[in-house]
C-alpha cells in the first residue's frame, strides 16, 4: 500500500517542465488532446484544415447558381444525382443520391442511405436528407452556418430558402485533410471517436484509420472539483486528495492542448502524458468505457472517468481492504461537452464507437 501511495507523493514535488508548443500530430497518432468545447472545430482533431485556405479571410454563406458557397469557400452544388462539394484545396466530393460518397479519383465510401451531415473546416455543415423509397431520392439539402441556414434543395427540387437551423438526428461525418478525408464522428462524453470512411488512395498511408480526441476541459474541471467533495480526515484519503489537487493545479502542463500521446503498452490502451503521468482507456469491463489517470507506472489509477450515460469522475478508493469499493464516495458529473456529437443509441453509435476502440488494441 505504501509503495502505491509513494509515487503520487513524489509527483507532488515535481512540477513538469513548461510544455513547448505542440507539434502537428504524427500521421498515425492514436490520441490527441484538445481544449475545445462547443462546437468542436475540425482543426482540433489534428487532421488538417479540411481543404480550406488557412490564410483566407472568412466570408459569409452566400447563394450560387446551383446551390451556395460557405464562408470558408466550399462550393455546394445540388443536382438530382447528388450534392457536389468543391473545396478550396481542389478536392471534389460527391454525395450521390444513393447514399454513396465519391471522390473524383474513384474512391467511394458508405453508403448512408438516409443521408448524413458533412461537417466542414469553416464550422459550417451540409445536411443531405435522402428518401430511399422514392424516385427523387435527394429530398433536401440544408447548409448551416452558425445561426443561419440555407436550403438550396427542397422536396426533391432546387430551392432558394433561408430558414432557422434545426437539430440534426442523422449520421455525422467530418471532412478533414484536404476535404476528402471523411471520418464518422461520435462523442463518448469528452472522448471523440473518429472512424475513417473515405480517403483518396494517394493519401491512405498518411491518414489514420481511426483517431481519438480527448477534450481536456471537462477532465481538468473535474480534477479541480474532486478534492472539494472528499474532506474526510482519513490520512490515506487526504494523501490521495492532495495528489489529485496538485495534478489539477498543473493540469494545463500535464494535458497540453494539441499534443499527441505516445503508446506505452502493447496490450493495453495506455498513453504517456507529461510530468510522469499516463492515461489509459478501458473499452470493456465494469462501467466501461472509461478513462483512467495514473501517476507514472502505478498499478492503480488516481482518478477514473466514466464515458457512457452521464459521464462522471471518480476518486479511486485508497482503502485496498477486502470489500472496499472501487471508488471513494460519489462521482463528480463532468461538464457537458461536444453535445452535438454525442453517441445516439437509435443509430447504434455507442456500439460503433466501441468497435473502433477495440480495433486500437491490434
Amino acid at each position: 500500500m505504501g509503495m502505491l501511495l509513494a509515487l503520487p507523493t513524489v509527483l507532488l514535488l515535481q512540477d513538469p517542465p513548461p510544455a513547448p508548443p505542440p507539434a502537428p500530430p504524427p500521421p498515425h497518432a492514436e490520441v490527441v488532446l484538445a481544449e475545445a468545447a462547443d462546437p468542436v472545430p475540425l482543426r482540433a482533431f489534428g487532421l488538417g484544415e479540411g481543404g480550406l485556405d488557412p490564410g483566407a479571410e472568412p466570408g459569409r454563406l452566400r447563394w450560387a447558381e446551383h446551390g451556395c458557397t460557405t464562408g470558408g469557400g466550399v462550393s455546394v452544388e445540388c443536382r438530382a444525382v447528388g450534392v457536389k462539394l468543391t473545396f478550396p484545396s481542389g478536392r471534389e466530393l460527391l454525395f450521390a443520391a444513393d447514399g454513396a460518397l465519391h471522390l473524383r479519383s474513384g474512391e467511394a465510401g458508405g453508403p448512408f442511405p438516409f443521408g448524413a451531415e458533412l461537417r466542414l473546416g469553416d464550422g459550417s455543415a451540409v445536411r443531405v436528407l435522402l428518401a430511399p423509397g422514392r424516385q427523387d431520392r435527394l429530398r433536401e439539402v440544408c447548409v448551416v452556418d452558425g445561426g443561419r441556414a440555407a436550403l438550396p434543395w427542397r422536396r426533391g427540387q432546387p430551392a432558394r430558402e433561408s430558414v432557422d437551423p434545426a437539430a440534426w438526428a442523422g449520421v455525422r461525418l467530418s471532412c478533414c485533410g484536404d476535404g476528402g478525408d471523411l471520418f464518422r464522428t461520435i462523442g463518448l462524453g469528452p472522448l471523440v471517436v473518429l472512424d475513417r470512411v473515405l480517403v483518396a488512395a494517394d493519401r491512405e498511408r498518411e491518414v489514420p484509420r481511426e483517431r481519438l480526441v480527448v477534450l481536456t476541459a471537462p477532465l481538468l474541471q473535474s480534477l479541480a472539483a474532486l478534492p472539494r467533495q472528499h474532506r474526510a480526515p482519513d490520512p490515506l484519503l487526504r494523501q490521495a486528495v492532495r495528489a489529485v489537487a496538485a495534478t489539477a493545479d498543473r493540469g494545463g502542463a500535464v494535458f497540453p492542448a494539441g499534443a499527441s500521446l505516445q503508446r506505452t503498452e502493447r496490450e493495453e490502451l495506455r498513453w504517456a502524458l507529461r510530468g510522469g503521468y499516463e492515461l489509459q482507456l478501458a473499452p470493456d469491463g465494469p462501467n466501461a468505457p472509461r478513462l483512467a489517470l495514473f501517476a507514472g507506472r502505478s498499478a492503480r489509477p488516481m482518478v477514473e472517468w466514466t464515458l457512457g450515460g452521464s459521464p462522471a469522475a471518480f476518486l479511486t478508493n485508497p482503502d485496498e481492504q477486502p470489500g472496499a469499493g472501487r471508488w471513494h464516495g460519489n462521482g463528480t458529473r463532468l461538464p457537458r461537452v461536444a453535445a452535438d456529437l454525442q453517441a445516439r443509441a437509435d443509430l447504434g453509435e455507442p456500439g460503433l464507437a466501441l468497435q473502433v476502440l477495440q480495433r486500437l488494441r491490434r
Side-chain angles (χ1 to χ4, degrees), residues 28 107 181 196 199-209:
H28 292 282
E107 299 82 4
D181 304 346
R196 195 181 75 193
V199 67
D202 61 357
R203 292 179 54 80
E204 188 169 1
R205 290 189 176 183
E206 61 186 273
V207 178
R209 186 182 176 192

Side-chain angles (χ1 to χ4, degrees), residues 195-248:
D195 185 21
R196 195 181 75 193
V197 298
L198 179 62
V199 67
D202 61 357
R203 292 179 54 80
E204 188 169 1
R205 290 189 176 183
E206 61 186 273
V207 178
R209 186 182 176 192
E210 56 274 309
R211 173 160 289 178
L212 307 182
V213 181
V214 177
L215 304 177
T216 59
L219 304 188
L220 297 178
Q221 290 177 45
S222 66
L223 287 177
L226 276 172
R228 298 194 293 268
Q229 292 186 267
H230 300 275
R231 298 182 179 276
D234 177 79
L236 293 179
L237 178 63
R238 299 315 306 157
Q239 186 175 357
V241 168
R242 285 197 300 273
V244 172
T247 305

Side-chain angles (χ1 to χ4, degrees), residues 127-325:
R127 297 171 176 174
V128 180
L129 181 64
L130 302 177
R134 298 180 62 99
Q135 184 174 358
D136 52 345
R137 297 189 63 173
L138 182 61
R139 295 303 299 163
E140 182 174 291
V141 178
C142 180
V143 183
V144 180
D145 187 358
R148 304 180 62 204
L151 287 176
W153 193 271
R154 190 174 191 185
R155 298 191 181 123
Q157 59 186 357
R160 184 170 286 207
E161 301 180 30
S162 297
V163 298
D164 292 329
W168 175 255
V171 172
R172 295 187 176 96
L173 305 174
S174 296
C175 297
C176 301
D178 64 0
D181 304 346
L182 268 67
F183 289 81
R184 185 154 186 181
T185 314
I186 303 173
L188 299 173
L191 180 69
V192 181
V193 179
L194 302 177
D195 185 21
R196 195 181 75 193
V197 298
L198 179 62
V199 67
D202 61 357
R203 292 179 54 80
E204 188 169 1
R205 290 189 176 183
E206 61 186 273
V207 178
R209 186 182 176 192
E210 56 274 309
R211 173 160 289 178
L212 307 182
V213 181
V214 177
L215 304 177
T216 59
L219 304 188
L220 297 178
Q221 290 177 45
S222 66
L223 287 177
L226 276 172
R228 298 194 293 268
Q229 292 186 267
H230 300 275
R231 298 182 179 276
D234 177 79
L236 293 179
L237 178 63
R238 299 315 306 157
Q239 186 175 357
V241 168
R242 285 197 300 273
V244 172
T247 305
D249 287 344
R250 56 180 66 88
V254 176
F255 292 88
S260 59
L261 306 186
Q262 298 299 315
R263 188 86 163 256
T264 63
E265 296 280 351
R266 178 179 294 273
E267 302 298 329
E268 301 288 344
L269 299 180
R270 188 157 168 162
W271 300 271
L273 295 166
R274 289 181 59 83
Y277 295 88
E278 294 188 358
L279 187 69
Q280 182 168 317
L281 173 64
D284 47 31
N287 304 107
R290 64 184 188 278
L291 287 170
L293 177 65
F294 289 82
R297 306 299 296 168
S298 173
R300 301 184 69 204
M302 301 169 60
V303 174
E304 290 189 286
W305 294 278
T306 58
L307 304 178
S310 298
F314 294 87
L315 179 69
T316 301
N317 193 344
D319 184 357
E320 296 186 68
Q321 299 301 315

Side-chain angles (χ1 to χ4, degrees), residues 60-76:
R60 293 176 58 84
L61 178 65
R62 59 191 185 277
W63 294 107
E65 183 179 359
H66 296 289
C68 54
T69 301
T70 72
V74 180
S75 170
V76 182

